[in-house]
Amino acid sequence: MLQKNIFLESEADAWFERNHAAVSSKDYSSNDSLTSAIVGLIGDASLDVSRAIKVLEVGCGEGRRLEWLAKNTGIEVYGIEPSQKAVDLAISRGVQVKRSTADEILFEDATFDIVIFGFCLYLCDRKDLFRIAKEADRVLKDNAWLVMQDFYSKAPIETDYHHLLGLKSYKMDYKTLFDWHPSYSCYSHQVHHHGSTKFTDDPSEWVATSVLRKSV
Ligand SMILES: C[S@@+](CC[C@H](N)C(=O)[O-])C[C@H]1O[C@@H](n2cnc3c(N)ncnc32)[C@H](O)[C@@H]1O
């Protein structure tokens, strides 16, 4: 069975149950490196601020980052997430989240000014990666931003997922899903410690935050 179906069936809710307490006490304000990257883009002159800026987070969990962004920056926020429990909680917080996975983004073409991959790609089936990239490209407007944060490794690595036998966790340089394409250029790519913005020499702790510009 595909990993995404196991997440949709049970593992995404199990992830939610295991992590809800930690997520509740996490700071999702602009002190968070991913939120801070989004805040930086909202101020960018390339976004048409005369219309509402629409942001999608793929794998948004219970929507706390999106909730903070909506309250503090006035943007319109949307998410997709496979956990029904996380979706219900996000909706109760006023975030419009649909239950789905990254390979099937249930929104119209050219809807978003910013698409965020919020630390979910390491859980995605490798055979879905082309579809995942195509879906993000489809829902992004022509001149828009893509922000990715995930485990980083120069060469792809596959390891066992600790919580369920048979599932895998994947590290790679996720910006390469897009930056080969002439319409995408990498605006910034920061490799840092998992949990802080500081660099570490320990590759097992590497996380990358990559900001890409789609210019058509
Ligand atoms: C590490 S959490 C990150 C949650 C949130 N973005 C954050 O930064 O707090 C990973 C999330 O990805 C979700 N997920 C798992 N498989 C996914 C898939 N194929 N597509 C989209 N999201 C997925 C999980 O249910 C979980 O909520």
Side-chain angles (χ1 to χ4, degrees):
M1 193 195 274
L2 279 170
Q3 187 148 312
K4 69 167 184 176
N5 291 328
I6 297 170
F7 268 83
L8 280 165
E9 251 177 30
S10 56
E11 185 50 28
D13 276 347
W15 194 98
F16 169 84
E17 299 284 4
R18 279 197 306 272
N19 292 284
H20 176 60
V23 167
S24 300
S25 60
K26 188 173 166 188
D27 182 359
Y28 281 95
S29 75
S30 50
N31 296 323
D32 169 73
S33 52
L34 182 50
T35 308
S36 154
I38 309 304
V39 170
L41 294 177
I42 292 167
D44 190 89
S46 68
L47 292 179
D48 178 1
V49 287
S50 62
R51 286 177 298 116
I53 294 173
K54 293 190 175 182
V55 175
L56 171 75
E57 183 172 352
V58 179
C60 66
E62 56 189 79
R64 288 205 50 230
R65 176 177 296 102
L66 292 173
E67 182 188 26
W68 187 91
L69 285 166
K71 283 190 178 146
N72 292 279
T73 68
I75 60 169
E76 276 183 26
V77 295
Y78 302 83
I80 66 161
E81 162 59 42
S83 160
Q84 186 63 58
K85 291 182 178 177
V87 169
D88 291 344
L89 188 51
I91 290 172
S92 76
R93 295 185 163 130
V95 182
Q96 302 185 52
V97 180
K98 296 186 181 180
R99 183 164 177 258
S100 188
T101 46
D103 55 294
E104 200 176 354
I105 299 180
L106 305 174
F107 289 93
E108 297 292 312
D109 295 2
T111 301
F112 298 105
D113 301 283
I114 302 173
V115 169
I116 309 166
F117 282 105
F119 231 112
C120 65
L121 290 170
Y122 77 103
L123 298 170
C124 294
D125 298 290
R126 298 302 87 171
K127 61 168 64 166
D128 281 340
L129 289 181
F130 280 128
R131 217 136 43 123
I132 289 169
K134 178 174 174 287
E135 280 293 88
D137 178 63
R138 182 183 64 74
V139 298
L140 270 172
K141 293 179 182 172
D142 276 353
N143 293 301
W145 296 97
L146 180 67
V147 183
M148 317 174 83
Q149 186 171 80
D150 220 297
F151 289 117
Y152 171 79
S153 166
K154 224 170 189 173
I157 299 176
E158 175 185 307
T159 48
D160 288 334
Y161 176 75
H162 295 312
H163 304 286
L164 196 59
L165 196 66
L167 296 197
K168 300 288 176 193
S169 172
Y170 303 97
K171 298 183 180 187
M172 61 176 272
D173 182 357
Y174 283 103
K175 73 173 167 10
T176 62
L177 295 179
F178 295 91
D179 71 353
W180 60 271
H181 193 284
S183 296
Y184 283 83
S185 45
C186 184
Y187 176 78
S188 72
H189 176 71
Q190 197 197 4
V191 177
H192 50 97
H193 188 280
H194 190 197
S196 95
T197 50
K198 296 215 170 96
F199 183 73
T200 170
D201 285 314
D202 177 1
S204 68
E205 291 293 345
W206 279 346
V207 161
T209 304
S210 310
V211 179
L212 293 103
R213 173 77 174 164
K214 176 183 179 183
S215 305
V216 178

